[in-house]
Amino acid sequence: MIDVSDAQQVLRDNDRDGHTVPTDGLYPFQWSWDSAITALGWLTFDEARAWEEAHTMFRGQWDNGMLPHILFHGDAESYFPGPDVWGSNTSIPSSAVSQPPVWATAVRYMYEHAQDRDLAEAALKKLLPQHLAYHDWWYRERDPADTGLVCSYHPWESGMDNSPAWDDALARVPEVDWDYQRRDLGHVDSDQRPHKPQYDRYLYLVDFYKKNGFDSELIYRECPYRVIDVGIVAILQRASKDLVELCKLAGEEGPIAGLEAEIARTQAAVDRLWSKEHRCYFNHDLVTGEHIEEITTATVLPLFGGLATQSKAAYMVDLIEEWLDATAFALSSTHPSSERFESQRYWRGPVWLHINWMIAEGLKDYGYEPLAERVKQATQKCVDESGFYEYFDALTGAGCGGGRFSWTAAVALYWLSD
Ligand code: DGY
């Protein structure tokens, strides 16, 4: 059973005057996809606060439509790298990459579930143009050659920072040549966080954007790290479909044809990523031109994006059925058959609740209700074992990363206790 009042208290405790921090200390600002998932939790007990979460986030949107992955709403000693390192000169200091674009999906959910219709109408009116600009940015800046598959420039943009899927692509990035002090290790056991060689390269990339004046054409041509992240592709696809629905709900027919053209382009391109042998869609390294053969939870997210045919979905269903049984706590973010699987290190094995929700939603859409229910029960088991942690050791269920974590509490509120 979910302790609903405690889950609500997690969000209240992490509320910082209009935005919710993912957790105190480790993540003291507003992160984009955390914020979207967290808004769904607020919606269950404070609709005005849920909409405010979205409005605060979109106040940090760049003029070119990009929604940064972090908005630095104030100073915080507890986090590195801060706005000075990113160097973006925006009214709300921010990072210079985005994050999986789940916002339109969240806003559609909020609009459809809200009781206060006047508030929902007003919020949609304000948010719709901002979302259209955001999606337009993805297609224009991240797929200028119209391949149908947007690209990503940083593991942090995937939200799955330390996934083994990024290891080889990141290893080719030079190391940063200045000293720095990490803050994350002051909050969380080092066994649960990325290693220094990865951080050296994360920071090189941050410097690279800054030194190149955030020039999107140059970065598209020359960034040493460019991947097609199938998680982003799938989440964007679902969000664009939701954005079409939001346009219809708002009576704004104009942008629909353009969005549908992008949706069709992605649908036509996605089979390039399919591996029948591995029963999933692989991430792809644009620098080497090769698939990244690592089975992670991102590689079945095309179910969430509605990108798979029914027969490809059936292959992924087989994979997920086996995967659920492969660890005591599931779904592990990296398949345990991988040599790089680590049950408690950030994105190399542990379980994340919001990803399980996405996979279960996809399974339901394809008619696999009982399997979706199994994913939900597996998710509940993590919370029963350890509470509202950031993520959960796939072998023991122990809570990892930050404690009293906003999106974990939010998923418990809007999904597990619905
Ligand atoms: C971090 O600092 O670990 C974040 O995930 C970056 O967004």
Side-chain angles (χ1 to χ4, degrees), residues 237-294:
Q237 184 78 346
R238 184 171 185 115
S240 287
K241 291 176 186 174
D242 288 328
L243 193 48
V244 167
E245 290 310 309
L246 289 173
C247 289
K248 290 180 186 163
L249 289 164
E252 289 279 342
E253 301 290 321
I256 292 178
L259 276 169
E260 284 180 340
E262 299 294 0
I263 290 167
R265 210 195 305 276
T266 301
Q267 184 63 63
V270 76
D271 277 359
R272 280 176 48 200
L273 306 178
W274 173 248
S275 165
K276 186 171 173 183
E277 183 194 344
H278 296 88
R279 299 175 292 178
C280 64
Y281 291 83
F282 278 134
N283 296 293
H284 184 86
D285 189 329
L286 283 164
V287 175
T288 60
E290 285 169 5
H291 281 352
I292 300 170
E293 299 204 353
E294 238 353 296

Side-chain angles (χ1 to χ4, degrees), residues 278-329:
H278 296 88
R279 299 175 292 178
C280 64
Y281 291 83
F282 278 134
N283 296 293
H284 184 86
D285 189 329
L286 283 164
V287 175
T288 60
E290 285 169 5
H291 281 352
I292 300 170
E293 299 204 353
E294 238 353 296
I295 301 173
T296 70
T297 39
T299 66
V300 292
L301 281 180
L303 290 167
F304 183 64
L307 281 160
T309 57
Q310 204 66 38
S311 69
K312 289 194 174 81
Y315 281 100
M316 287 189 277
V317 161
D318 285 348
L319 173 65
I320 291 168
E321 278 176 339
E322 292 166 18
W323 198 342
L324 275 168
D325 290 332
T327 51
F329 292 81

Side-chain angles (χ1 to χ4, degrees), residues 72-324:
F72 299 104
H73 290 291
D75 298 330
E77 289 300 305
S78 63
Y79 185 76
F80 175 85
D84 49 326
V85 182
W86 284 97
S88 53
N89 187 20
T90 43
S91 56
I92 301 179
S94 73
S95 66
V97 293
S98 197
Q99 231 172 7
V102 70
W103 268 108
T105 297
V107 167
R108 179 178 176 192
Y109 182 101
M110 285 156 65
Y111 183 86
E112 289 181 345
H113 288 76
Q115 304 292 317
D116 185 335
R117 297 315 307 164
D118 289 347
L119 196 58
E121 298 299 342
L124 178 58
K125 201 159 180 247
K126 184 156 186 202
L127 290 166
L128 187 62
Q130 297 168 327
H131 280 69
L132 288 165
Y134 181 40
H135 283 235
D136 184 52
W137 171 82
W138 273 107
Y139 294 121
R140 189 187 66 240
E141 305 277 323
R142 294 310 186 84
D143 185 23
D146 288 338
T147 65
L149 300 172
V150 294
C151 75
S152 168
Y153 300 145
H154 202 296
W156 286 343
E157 198 158 62
S158 75
M160 304 185 180
D161 308 6
N162 200 26
S163 168
W166 317 137
D167 283 2
D168 297 341
L170 194 62
R172 285 195 309 273
V173 172
E175 292 165 27
V176 78
D177 58 3
W178 38 267
D179 291 332
Y180 58 92
Q181 191 181 354
R182 287 172 64 173
R183 306 277 183 210
D184 55 322
L185 300 180
H187 303 282
V188 173
D189 193 321
S190 60
D191 289 346
Q192 298 169 16
R193 292 291 299 175
H195 292 290
K196 184 177 183 312
Q198 271 111 26
Y199 255 80
D200 287 344
R201 292 166 172 89
Y202 295 157
L203 292 168
Y204 178 93
L205 290 169
V206 169
D207 251 358
F208 178 84
Y209 317 135
K210 183 167 60 177
K211 283 183 181 144
N212 288 295
F214 310 106
D215 176 335
S216 52
E217 279 176 36
L218 187 146
I219 295 169
Y220 180 73
R221 278 196 319 271
E222 293 178 20
C223 184
Y225 176 94
R226 278 173 290 130
V227 303
I228 296 169
D229 170 353
V230 72
I232 287 180
V233 169
I235 290 169
L236 179 63
Q237 184 78 346
R238 184 171 185 115
S240 287
K241 291 176 186 174
D242 288 328
L243 193 48
V244 167
E245 290 310 309
L246 289 173
C247 289
K248 290 180 186 163
L249 289 164
E252 289 279 342
E253 301 290 321
I256 292 178
L259 276 169
E260 284 180 340
E262 299 294 0
I263 290 167
R265 210 195 305 276
T266 301
Q267 184 63 63
V270 76
D271 277 359
R272 280 176 48 200
L273 306 178
W274 173 248
S275 165
K276 186 171 173 183
E277 183 194 344
H278 296 88
R279 299 175 292 178
C280 64
Y281 291 83
F282 278 134
N283 296 293
H284 184 86
D285 189 329
L286 283 164
V287 175
T288 60
E290 285 169 5
H291 281 352
I292 300 170
E293 299 204 353
E294 238 353 296
I295 301 173
T296 70
T297 39
T299 66
V300 292
L301 281 180
L303 290 167
F304 183 64
L307 281 160
T309 57
Q310 204 66 38
S311 69
K312 289 194 174 81
Y315 281 100
M316 287 189 277
V317 161
D318 285 348
L319 173 65
I320 291 168
E321 278 176 339
E322 292 166 18
W323 198 342
L324 275 168

